[in-house]
Amino acid sequence: MEIRNAVNPVDFKNYTTDRLREEFLIPVLFIEDEIKLVYSHIDRIITGGAMPIVRPLKLDAGAELKAAYFLERREMGIINVGGKGSVTVDGKEYTMNPRDGMYIGRGNKEIVFASADPAEPAKFYLSSCPAHKEYPTVHIDITKAKKVPCGDAENCNKRVINQYIHPEVMQSCQLTMGLTQLESGSNWNTMPCHTHDRRMEVYMYLDMGPQDVVFHMMGEPAETRHIVMRNEQAVISPSWSIHSGVGTKNYSFIWAMCGENQEFTDMDAVKMEDLR
């Protein structure tokens, strides 16, 4: 498990491109027959990817969590961005089709990931944060996610937000998670932008071709920077930072949030004239 420390916004102003990428970018999430995990001290979120091919993969706590098992004090969300697979939770198997999501509550001991076809392996994107109580495990296919259309073609940001782990869909302690899909011809996400001091956020960009990039904007509104993102890469966004992007074409991204509350609309809007 890779460990990332929290970042002070005053220090952030002096970062080079390389330092920005070292602190916030997760360049590789999916490795054949491995579980990749990155632990951030920003609200103690864990971001990861599991890509089983020839064998199932069991999720262990590792030495870093000092726990008997991974979800002893945590909850977790999963979205499958690869081929068909399955997640087995304490002996109960759940089929995970492409774009299916899942919530697994605190206290579940054995989590095992598998692919149905090694030629088209599943890719399980994981988000986990501390939890104070148990909630039931829920399988959420994309048709059960709450659909929130927003934006318009004129402003190049027409998109649909699919809320998987959200108070209006199911219960969790503090984790919220979903998938936003931009329509053809749109390339801006979350602009006008915002911050939310009550919680942090991680974006994972996907549905991008080999020559496509997204310029992910971050930093305090008057002190912005950017990171160039490619397909299936993630970026950590502290609560004091904006989180927005513009791509060379339309794309999708998975967002995961944790922190003080779960109110999706609890945002501190940034006026366009205040951006620098």
Side-chain angles (χ1 to χ4, degrees):
M1 189 183 299
E2 181 184 345
I3 305 295
R4 303 280 184 97
N5 289 307
V7 173
N8 186 306
V10 177
D11 297 335
F12 171 87
K13 298 176 183 180
N14 301 309
Y15 285 2
T16 63
T17 297
D18 286 343
R19 182 71 187 280
L20 276 176
R21 294 173 71 86
E22 288 171 6
E23 295 287 349
F24 301 107
L25 177 68
I26 304 175
V28 179
L29 280 162
F30 301 108
I31 303 170
E32 292 186 2
D33 288 320
E34 288 188 22
I35 299 177
K36 164 78 174 183
L37 298 173
V38 175
Y39 181 114
S40 172
H41 281 285
I42 302 173
D43 282 311
R44 300 191 181 275
I45 196 168
I46 294 177
T47 301
M51 186 178 174
I53 296 181
V54 300
R55 60 185 177 87
L57 299 175
K58 181 181 176 182
L59 181 63
D60 294 317
E64 295 83 359
L65 295 185
K66 302 294 184 184
Y69 50 94
F70 191 88
L71 294 182
E72 183 178 17
R73 301 183 296 267
R74 291 183 156 269
E75 60 186 352
M76 182 168 66
I78 302 168
I79 296 179
N80 179 18
V81 299
K84 185 176 180 179
S86 66
V87 178
T88 302
V89 181
D90 285 346
K92 182 175 181 179
E93 183 176 319
Y94 297 84
T95 298
M96 295 285 286
N97 291 309
R99 296 297 192 268
D100 277 7
M102 191 173 185
Y103 170 82
I104 306 176
R106 188 182 81 164
N108 289 285
K109 295 182 177 180
E110 188 175 74
I111 316 297
V112 180
F113 304 98
S115 292
D117 182 357
E120 296 183 23
K123 294 180 180 179
F124 299 104
Y125 178 67
L126 319 175
S127 292
S128 172
C129 59
H132 60 273
K133 66 174 292 184
E134 297 80 13
Y135 283 111
T137 297
V138 181
H139 177 268
I140 317 148
D141 67 50
I142 194 169
T143 64
K144 296 177 183 176
K146 181 183 176 183
K147 314 289 183 186
V148 183
C150 54
D152 54 60
E154 183 178 2
N155 288 295
C156 304
N157 64 357
K158 190 173 184 181
R159 61 202 189 275
V160 174
I161 302 172
N162 298 278
Q163 296 173 337
Y164 286 72
I165 301 174
H166 182 272
E168 295 185 35
V169 179
M170 49 151 296
Q171 288 184 303
S172 65
C173 288
Q174 61 164 321
L175 180 67
T176 58
M177 192 173 183
L179 168 69
T180 298
Q181 298 168 305
L182 276 70
E183 293 196 7
S184 179
S186 288
N187 55 0
W188 275 102
N189 77 70
T190 325
M191 185 61 71
C193 60
H194 61 262
T195 60
H196 29 67
D197 246 0
R198 276 67 60 194
R199 56 189 187 274
M200 61 83 68
E201 192 159 7
V202 176
Y203 277 10
M204 194 274 275
Y205 289 97
L206 67 156
D207 295 336
M208 298 164 60
Q211 299 301 313
D212 300 329
V213 300
V214 171
F215 292 84
H216 179 82
M217 315 297 175
M218 64 179 304
E220 293 180 298
E223 196 74 46
T224 60
R225 303 288 188 272
H226 74 265
I227 295 179
V228 176
M229 307 288 301
R230 292 176 170 82
N231 193 47
E232 296 179 352
Q233 293 184 335
V235 60
I236 300 166
S237 178
S239 58
W240 45 262
S241 174
I242 67 167
H243 34 282
S244 181
V246 59
T248 51
K249 64 181 293 295
N250 65 311
Y251 52 91
S252 304
F253 65 98
I254 294 173
W255 45 268
M257 293 185 283
C258 66
E260 186 69 23
N261 68 25
Q262 295 180 307
E263 297 297 323
F264 190 80
T265 56
D266 177 14
M267 304 172 187
D268 299 316
V270 176
K271 296 179 180 178
M272 295 296 282
E273 58 265 30
D274 292 337
L275 281 174
R276 293 177 54 189

